[in-house]
Amino acid sequence: MSRPGAARGACVAVLMMLMGSGRAAANTMHSASPSQNVATVGTADNFFDPEAVHVAVGARIQWTNRGQSNHTVTSDTRAFDSGDLPPGRAFVTTFNRPGAFLYFCKYHGSSGGHGMSGVVLVGDARLPSRSGHGAGPGREPVPSEPGNTLSVPEEFRTIQNAVDAADPGDLVLVSPGIYREGVKVTTPYITIRGRDRNSVILDGGFAIANGIHVIEADGVAVENMTARHYRLNGFQWTGVLGYRGAYLTAHNNGDYGLYAFDSRFGRFMNSYASGHPDAGFYIGQCHPCDAVVTQVVSERNGLGFSGTNAGGNMSIVNSVWRQNMGGIVPNTLDSERLAPQRDVYVAGNLVEDNNNVHAPANEYAYGALGTGIVVAGGVGNVVERNTVRNHRYFGIAIDPNADRNIWISQRNIVRGNTVLGSGLADLSLGGPAGRGNCFTANDFRSSLPPAIETLYGCGTTLQKLGGGDLGSTTLSLALFVRGKSGKFPHGDWRTQPVPPPQRTMPGDVTTAPVLALPGIEVPGRVKAARSYRLPLPNDRMEVNVLGVPLAAPTWWTLLLGIYGYVLPLVLFVTWITVAIWDLIRREDIRNSVRITWMVVIFAIPILGPILYYVSGRSPIPRSLRVMLLVGGLIVYAGVFVGALALGSRG
């Protein structure tokens, strides 16, 4: 049953190139390689995105005003100044010497990194620390003992004031209150902790970029507080070694909840995220990441978890992912470094009801609608002992992904999961799939291709060769096309429900902090807790083709599914039969030529018969050969488009 799926691989490759589903992760610290030698910065209303950009000597930076107000790009030292930038206008300058170049908007910020400001790091330059201690990996010795406690607002009026005054090893302790500020952290080895998770609230007022953004400052922990109403992220770490986000609540922010980029040795633990158009939790561009996400809840986001080009000693375990558009999505894209995504351990999670069309979502998150766990273009991931239930389309899917390159998933293991209540298939291997993807010991009732553990069980011939089926890939393409149109159902991140109070940090929060030190908090391979076990439904097995269930309630969807499944095989058999018949009856060629063509026709699937009809000087009239080859493909294209339209109705 896998032969038609494998034969369709070439078609999928062409279609995936049309998807163009790459997206650079928002608000990261971008870097420009010497060959690229250019970087871009968005100028939105009241913030630059990204706030820090790292480039090679000689690179050009282009700022484009994407907001609705005039802004400027003005150097702290007046080395460059854009003048007024009306909406839609751009400013470009070149950096020919190494160093850290701070800049600001004259209307919404000031020199020294206050308000709407940013920095360009050229060459090996490090981000200057506000406290004057230096920042960045390797720039600061690890504190030998805990430091002082800086209290907000008792001693310092704002969190930023206290962070600026902190030394490595210090604790910034924040009392209950609403803090309408965005905090930039450039001093390493400090802990920022709230006295009460639910009443220490950072509020961006739907205008400030990030709640707390740790930039190239190693070993910073943020704990026991809430961030809401920021234009981008609640809590973010960029370019660090050692980080921890614990007992945090992030809700109703414009991009991500908890976000780590280009960082290593980290933990997200005992935290909650809801109401984000991209993902509640994100870890990207790291290998090895040496990171763990554990005991978290992510709901009503575009994606529960997204991890682009991230893996290597990285675990997503013992957490709840529910009522997002899509659940857990490790993925590969060219828009970030370190592709492909690889080596993530996903275990012991409850993943349920990720079909929420009322959740906020961007066009890319919409592509994962109705799927619990999907590995998109990933390599060597392990998905085991999860309970995945009640999804509109797929429970667990292994799919290809495309950006500038087509990334084929391979060597992924799906074992020991309980998967039930999926609309199209509990388990899915989307074609084209690479070698080594295997499914074993799962409790499930439907799969695509059918009998997936027989065909693609660990150690089977097909598992070693690859293949897959078009169903999951077709549906992803349909959703992506609809997402790109901008006409897809989704909610507004600003108006999502306010979450209930969350469990606050136990113990005495005023005691000395445990630092998030590089090389100390390496989580290792986390053993998953026993997954949530549920009774299985009845033994009915659904077969799906091109994402269309053969048990469909209408005659035309049934016809579409059967025809789409059988037609490629029928075409292939017909091409071979007619070509061999033509060779046998021909008297104008030598037997050696006849035998050679027969070998080509049988030995080269699909292309063998096509080569004969095109180059074998067949006496069959040209018009008939064209109809034989092209006519069937046109019919199949119609079937494919029909299935695509049917899938996009979700």
Side-chain angles (χ1 to χ4, degrees):
M1 285 185 289
S2 68
R3 290 291 296 276
R8 291 195 291 267
C11 298
V12 178
V14 174
L15 289 164
M16 290 294 287
M17 284 190 288
L18 299 177
M19 290 175 63
S21 60
R23 179 195 179 206
N27 50 78
T28 63
M29 176 175 282
H30 293 284
S31 60
S33 65
S35 59
Q36 186 183 27
N37 217 33
V38 66
T40 59
V41 178
T43 304
D45 289 337
N46 299 325
F47 62 90
F48 294 103
D49 179 21
E51 296 173 297
V53 60
H54 217 147
V55 297
V57 175
R60 291 187 307 133
I61 309 292
Q62 175 175 302
W63 288 266
T64 302
N65 187 351
R66 300 170 184 161
Q68 300 179 359
S69 304
N70 284 3
H71 298 288
T72 73
V73 179
T74 304
S75 165
D76 278 21
T77 62
R78 301 304 191 268
F80 54 86
D81 191 340
S82 67
D84 283 356
L85 283 180
R89 294 290 297 274
F91 168 67
V92 179
T93 191
T94 302
F95 294 83
N96 291 316
R97 60 184 179 86
F101 300 90
L102 282 75
Y103 64 90
F104 63 99
C105 170
K106 290 192 291 189
Y107 298 123
H108 306 98
S110 61
S111 62
H114 301 288
M116 185 175 174
S117 60
V119 61
V120 178
L121 303 172
V122 183
D124 295 329
R126 299 290 184 180
L127 190 71
S129 170
R130 290 167 176 259
S131 66
H133 289 283
R139 287 295 300 270
E140 191 74 21
V142 176
S144 58
E145 59 184 22
N148 299 316
T149 297
L150 289 70
S151 298
V152 181
E154 292 83 1
E155 297 178 85
F156 297 88
R157 186 175 60 86
T158 68
I159 301 173
Q160 185 70 71
N161 291 155
V163 167
D164 291 347
D167 292 327
D170 285 353
L171 168 65
V172 174
L173 188 62
V174 186
S175 293
I178 297 178
Y179 297 85
R180 305 184 190 280
E181 57 178 313
V183 181
K184 297 179 184 177
V185 183
T186 59
T187 301
Y189 308 123
I190 66 173
T191 296
I192 306 171
R193 181 187 297 163
R195 289 180 179 270
D196 182 271
R197 176 179 180 176
N198 300 299
S199 58
V200 176
I201 300 173
L202 285 81
D203 192 314
F206 303 108
I208 302 172
N210 298 293
I212 295 181
H213 189 183
V214 182
I215 309 174
E216 289 198 350
D218 298 342
V220 173
V222 184
E223 302 171 333
N224 211 37
M225 58 181 58
T226 295
R228 69 186 187 191
H229 305 165
Y230 287 91
R231 290 282 296 276
L232 296 178
N233 311 305
F235 304 97
Q236 178 179 355
W237 289 258
T238 301
V240 307
L241 296 177
Y243 62 93
R244 182 174 67 250
Y247 295 94
L248 298 176
T249 298
H251 72 91
N252 299 64
N253 300 295
D255 214 358
Y256 298 90
L258 276 68
Y259 182 18
F261 179 79
D262 193 25
S263 298
R264 190 178 175 191
F265 304 122
R267 284 179 181 266
F268 289 151
M269 55 191 292
N270 302 102
S271 294
Y272 173 94
S274 69
H276 301 94
D278 205 301
F281 294 84
Y282 177 91
I283 296 177
Q285 191 180 288
C286 52
H287 195 280
C289 296
D290 295 308
V292 62
V293 179
T294 183
Q295 299 293 338
V296 306
V297 176
S298 184
E299 61 185 3
R300 296 194 300 274
N301 304 286
L303 301 175
F305 174 88
S306 177
T308 299
N309 301 355
N313 193 28
M314 176 174 164
S315 302
I316 305 168
V317 296
N318 305 333
S319 297
V320 177
W321 315 86
R322 64 192 177 204
Q323 296 177 20
N324 306 287
M325 274 206 177
I328 301 173
V329 188
N331 62 88
T332 298
L333 291 174
D334 294 289
S335 51
E336 294 184 10
R337 295 188 297 110
L338 306 181
Q341 181 280 320
R342 56 202 189 278
D343 305 326
V344 167
Y345 183 60
V346 182
N349 298 283
L350 173 62
V351 187
E352 61 180 352
D353 298 308
N354 292 288
N355 318 295
N356 187 357
V357 295
H358 302 293
N362 56 36
E363 61 197 68
Y364 304 97
Y366 182 73
L369 171 67
T371 300
I373 301 173
V374 54
V375 175
V379 178
N381 301 286
V382 177
V383 180
E384 69 176 0
R385 286 182 290 160
N386 303 281
T387 291
V388 185
R389 62 185 184 185
N390 302 338
H391 289 95
R392 187 178 209 170
Y393 298 123
F394 301 104
I396 300 176
I398 307 296
D399 282 345
N401 204 21
D403 195 348
R404 290 187 295 273
N405 295 292
I406 298 175
W407 297 97
I408 307 300
S409 291
Q410 52 189 322
R411 301 196 306 277
N412 299 288
I413 299 173
V414 180
R415 66 186 173 207
N417 301 280
T418 298
V419 191
L420 56 135
S422 307
L424 294 182
D426 290 332
L427 302 177
S428 172
L429 179 62
R435 301 173 58 184
N437 298 296
C438 78
F439 298 76
T440 186
N442 298 285
D443 293 331
F444 69 103
R445 287 298 177 270
S446 59
S447 70
L448 195 151
I452 196 168
E453 290 197 348
T454 300
L455 296 177
Y456 293 94
C458 301
T460 63
T461 300
L462 279 179
Q463 179 260 338
K464 295 176 182 178
L465 295 177
D469 205 294
L470 262 181
S472 180
T473 309
T474 303
L475 178 62
S476 296
L477 176 58
L479 294 174
F480 176 79
V481 170
R482 186 174 184 185
K484 289 294 288 184
S485 73
K487 299 178 181 179
F488 61 93
H490 63 284
D492 187 338
W493 61 272
R494 299 170 181 83
T495 59
Q496 292 297 303
V498 176
Q502 302 295 312
R503 179 170 176 259
T504 198
M505 187 174 178
D508 183 2
V509 298
T510 66
T511 58
V514 177
L515 300 177
L517 300 179
I520 293 178
E521 283 213 320
V522 183
R525 175 61 62 91
V526 174
K527 183 179 180 181
R530 184 180 179 185
S531 56
Y532 301 80
R533 310 298 292 181
L534 297 170
L536 294 175
N538 60 54
D539 291 336
R540 178 177 61 88
M541 177 174 285
E542 274 191 2
V543 177
N544 299 277
V545 179
L546 290 175
V548 178
L550 297 189
T554 59
W555 66 267
W556 62 272
T557 54
L558 180 63
L559 177 64
L560 189 65
I562 295 176
Y563 203 45
Y565 189 74
V566 173
L567 184 57
L569 182 60
V570 171
L571 287 174
F572 184 41
V573 171
T574 303
W575 291 347
I576 289 179
T577 302
V578 174
I580 295 300
W581 167 79
D582 188 48
L583 278 170
I584 292 173
R585 74 186 181 91
R586 289 180 63 176
E587 299 179 354
D588 60 326
I589 57 175
R590 299 189 304 272
N591 280 337
S592 60
V593 175
R594 195 189 323 269
I595 292 172
T596 299
W597 273 115
M598 286 183 176
V599 171
V600 170
I601 290 169
F602 280 113
I604 307 177
I606 306 297
L607 292 179
I610 294 176
L611 287 172
Y612 173 71
Y613 291 128
V614 173
S615 305
R617 298 182 180 179
S618 170
I620 298 175
R622 184 171 182 270
S623 59
L624 293 181
R625 281 182 282 143
V626 170
M627 179 58 66
L628 181 64
L629 290 175
V630 179
L633 293 176
I634 291 175
V635 172
Y636 182 70
V639 173
F640 184 87
V641 171
L644 196 67
L646 186 64
S648 68
R649 294 196 311 173

